[in-house]
């Protein structure tokens, strides 16, 4: 059999660095993929190891800043917060995300080529995983580095380059495709991957695209695309006939000490965790009980007026409202309100010298997010009873003294609530989506679903995508002594800064930059 060779570091070099770097790295990063076992091992590297969470979360309205006297920040975080083009490079910078995703795509593509070459029937499960991995990394890239998908603009909005084969030429020339083209390719890969999902077998399923993870990915993809029927279809496949058995066991998590909850939150034993991913990351420090990045963070005024510490339709806020109540940390230059989701982990490369890498593990797809996605789809379809039913399942898993909500109770909470202003904040922000939302009941129930989603996805970066989907404006604020003392820039509907700028190296190599 002809030996099949992949050079994934070289492919990364083509995409991110210069031709000379490509020549420098190519000879030492080759492997022969000539067996089923090697294909499966290769797919371990088809998942990105540099995550989008930090970039998305700091770009969103889930953080405020304190004044210039607070030293606990970095130029990188400041650039993200102010929606500036990022010049700093670290494990969570756009440069690393871009490179990590294309490296994962390169591995997926080589696996697909090797599967074709080997022609072995037992590799169809591996083909499913490779297709889903390729779709996932492209999905991350297009949603970070482009405007959000819309029927009106996606045919002309700049997307990314969709790579479907291993690169074999020395100096290939790439061009950005449209967001619409990217979404068509992602959908094709997702659907083909799902068609083979019953043939996948994993030793540790929660770290691979198992069936529930695949359905959850499809749910999020179609939610962002705007296909509500498909959202309901794939969410229902993931959740099964009894969603209550799939949601996170927050009652159990609440029995652990605070410093252990984040590690238990990402346990593979929790049914709610459909797919877990690892990342080189400072997230455990930023959203942990440390001074690290305390200048720009999820602060008390934000939590108490918009997110986890607000009075909700399901109860007045107290530490007894939720099983996993938010932890508040305050002091000189310290103002954080955190939900324990992201563990701070350290991987030692030299135990004696105490050197290594900061890492975290995060739940990339969960039953709880899928459930709220389906609830949103039901509202968009006008099936309000089904939406309220799904919301009640989510509430039962999160609220201690749970009492089922009715449509009337929910609407009574939101209908007279004033819209958010930076000085007088509320959870209700004006929605400016590129699809139709009916005034009255539909808009009000969507506000409640988005409020629940914001609580559920705090610190995970997904709020940024909700901002892009719904055209929510964001104004930067300076907080001192738990009050707003100054206002900064405002991010408007379809603001050009909603598309994160491509890495400078990629632009220098010839890819068209995002307009500014």
């Amino acid at each position: 059999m002809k030996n099949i060779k992949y050079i994934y570091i070289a492919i990364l070099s083509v995409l991110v660095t210069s031709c000379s770097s490509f020549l420098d790295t190519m000879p030492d990063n080759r492997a022969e993929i000539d067996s089923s076992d090697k294909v499966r091992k290769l797919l371990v590297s088809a998942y990105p190891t540099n995550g989008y969470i930090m970039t998305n979360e700091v770009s969103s309205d889930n953080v405020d800043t304190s004044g210039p006297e607070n030293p606990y920040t970095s130029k990188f975080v400041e650039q993200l917060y102010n929606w500036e083009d990022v010049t700093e490079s670290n494990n969570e910078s756009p440069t690393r995300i871009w490179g990590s995703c294309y490296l994962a795509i390169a591995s997926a593509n080589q696996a697909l080529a090797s599967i074709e070459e080997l022609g072995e029937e037992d590799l169809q499960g591996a083909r499913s995983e490779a297709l889903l991995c390729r779709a996932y990394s492209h999905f991350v890239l297009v949603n970070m580095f482009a405007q959000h998908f819309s029927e009106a603009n996606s045919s002309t909005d700049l997307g990314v380059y969709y790579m479907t084969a291993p690169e074999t030429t020395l100096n290939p020339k790439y061009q950005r495709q449209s967001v619409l083209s990217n979404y068509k390719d992602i959908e094709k890969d997702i659907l083909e991957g799902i068609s083979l999902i019953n043939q996948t077998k994993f030793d540790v399923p929660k770290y691979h695209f198992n069936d529930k993870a695949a359905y959850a990915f499809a749910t999020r993809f179609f939610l962002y695309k705007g296909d509500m029927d498909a959202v309901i279809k794939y969410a229902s496949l993931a959740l099964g006939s009894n969603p209550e058995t799939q949601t996170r066991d927050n009652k159990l998590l609440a029995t652990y000490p605070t410093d252990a909850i984040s590690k238990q939150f990402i346990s593979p034993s929790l049914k709610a965790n459909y797919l877990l991913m690892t990342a080189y990351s400072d997230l455990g420090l930023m959203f942990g009980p440390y001074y690290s990045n305390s200048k720009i963070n999820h602060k008390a005024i934000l939590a108490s007026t918009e997110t986890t510490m607000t009075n909700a339709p399901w109860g007045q806020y107290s530490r007894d409202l939720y099983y996993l109540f938010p932890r508040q940390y305050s002091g000189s230059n310290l103002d954080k309100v955190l939900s324990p989701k992201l563990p701070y982990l350290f991987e030692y490369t030299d135990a004696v010298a105490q050197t290594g890498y900061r890492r975290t593990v995060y739940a990339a797809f969960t039953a709880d997010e899928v459930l709220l996605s389906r609830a949103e789809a039901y509202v968009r379809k006008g099936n309000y009873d089904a939406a309220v039913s799904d919301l009640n399942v989510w509430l039962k898993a999160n609220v201690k003294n749970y009492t089922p909500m009715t449509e009337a109770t929910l609407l009574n909470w939101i209908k007279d609530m004033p819209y958010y202003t930076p000085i007088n904040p509320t959870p209700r922000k004006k929605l400016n989506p590129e699809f139709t939302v009916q005034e009255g009941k539909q808009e009000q129930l969507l506000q409640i679903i988005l409020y629940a989603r914001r609580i559920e996805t705090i610190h995970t970066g997904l709020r940024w995508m909700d901002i892009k989907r719904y055209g929510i404006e964001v104004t930067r604020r300076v907080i001192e002594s738990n009050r707003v003392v100054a206002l900064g820039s405002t991010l408007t509907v379809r603001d050009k800064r909603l598309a994160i700028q491509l890495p400078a190296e990629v632009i220098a190599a010839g890819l068209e930059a995002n307009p500014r």
Side-chain angles (χ1 to χ4, degrees), residues 60-343:
S60 79
D61 59 354
N62 279 344
V63 294
D64 278 319
T65 187
S66 49
E69 71 282 356
N70 189 329
Y72 299 105
T73 186
S74 67
K75 186 176 181 180
F76 167 65
V77 171
E78 296 275 350
Q79 287 177 332
L80 289 176
Y81 177 78
N82 291 302
W83 307 303
E84 298 170 356
D85 293 353
V86 176
T87 60
E88 303 300 293
S89 182
N90 60 25
N91 281 327
E92 287 155 305
S93 67
T95 296
R96 293 292 179 88
I97 298 165
W98 179 277
S100 183
C101 283
Y102 273 115
L103 183 58
I105 291 164
S107 294
N109 281 336
Q110 184 55 61
L112 289 166
S114 299
I115 290 166
E116 195 73 23
E117 182 81 15
L118 291 166
E120 296 182 15
E121 186 62 30
D122 69 341
L123 283 173
Q124 291 309 297
R127 179 174 176 80
S128 170
E129 183 179 12
L131 288 165
L132 290 164
C133 285
R134 183 169 74 182
Y136 176 76
S137 282
H138 282 113
F139 182 69
V140 170
L141 289 167
V142 71
N143 280 292
M144 280 197 65
F145 295 101
Q147 293 288 347
H148 183 68
F149 178 90
S150 74
E151 295 289 346
N153 298 292
S154 288
S155 62
T156 54
D157 281 340
L158 286 172
V160 296
Y161 177 72
Y162 204 94
M163 184 176 287
T164 57
E167 187 50 64
T168 58
T169 59
L170 179 64
N171 190 20
K173 301 299 181 184
Y174 297 106
Q175 288 187 337
R176 296 179 69 174
Q177 296 153 321
S178 69
V179 172
L180 178 61
S181 175
N182 289 164
Y183 263 65
K184 286 180 177 178
D185 287 334
I186 292 167
E187 182 173 350
K188 181 176 181 292
D189 279 351
I190 289 175
L191 295 180
E192 185 178 352
I194 284 177
S195 73
L196 301 169
I197 199 68
N198 62 348
Q199 300 188 52
T200 57
K201 295 178 181 179
F202 305 111
D203 292 332
V204 187
K206 294 299 181 71
Y207 284 90
H208 297 270
F209 266 112
N210 57 78
D211 56 348
K212 288 187 178 298
Y215 299 142
F217 178 22
T219 299
R220 188 184 296 172
F221 170 79
F222 285 112
L223 185 73
Y224 290 6
K225 185 186 177 189
D227 185 340
M228 297 301 110
D229 288 328
V231 172
I232 294 166
K233 172 184 175 180
Y234 288 106
S236 300
L237 285 170
L239 296 167
S241 59
N242 190 1
E244 287 186 21
T245 65
Q246 298 291 313
T247 52
R248 190 181 304 107
D249 191 347
N250 291 305
K251 185 176 182 179
L252 172 64
L253 290 175
T255 64
Y256 290 96
T258 295
D259 59 358
I261 290 176
S262 62
K263 291 181 180 179
Q264 295 300 321
F265 192 93
I266 48 87
S267 170
S269 65
L270 289 181
K271 289 183 178 180
N273 290 332
Y274 288 163
L275 178 64
L276 300 172
M277 288 191 177
T278 63
Y280 297 102
S281 175
D282 283 345
L283 285 166
L285 290 176
M286 181 166 191
F287 298 119
Y290 311 99
Y291 272 90
S292 178
N293 285 310
S294 61
K295 179 181 178 180
I296 296 173
N297 218 289
H298 186 241
K299 298 181 179 294
I301 190 172
L302 200 160
S304 62
T305 59
E306 298 180 51
T307 63
T308 55
M309 293 170 62
T310 54
N311 294 327
W314 38 85
Q316 298 292 304
Y317 178 73
S318 73
R319 283 169 61 104
D320 290 325
L321 179 58
Y322 300 108
Y323 287 114
L324 294 185
F325 61 87
R327 271 62 175 175
Q328 186 169 1
Y329 303 94
S330 59
S332 178
N333 289 325
L334 179 63
D335 179 5
K336 292 184 178 183
V337 176
L338 307 175
S339 298
K341 296 181 177 183
L342 297 161

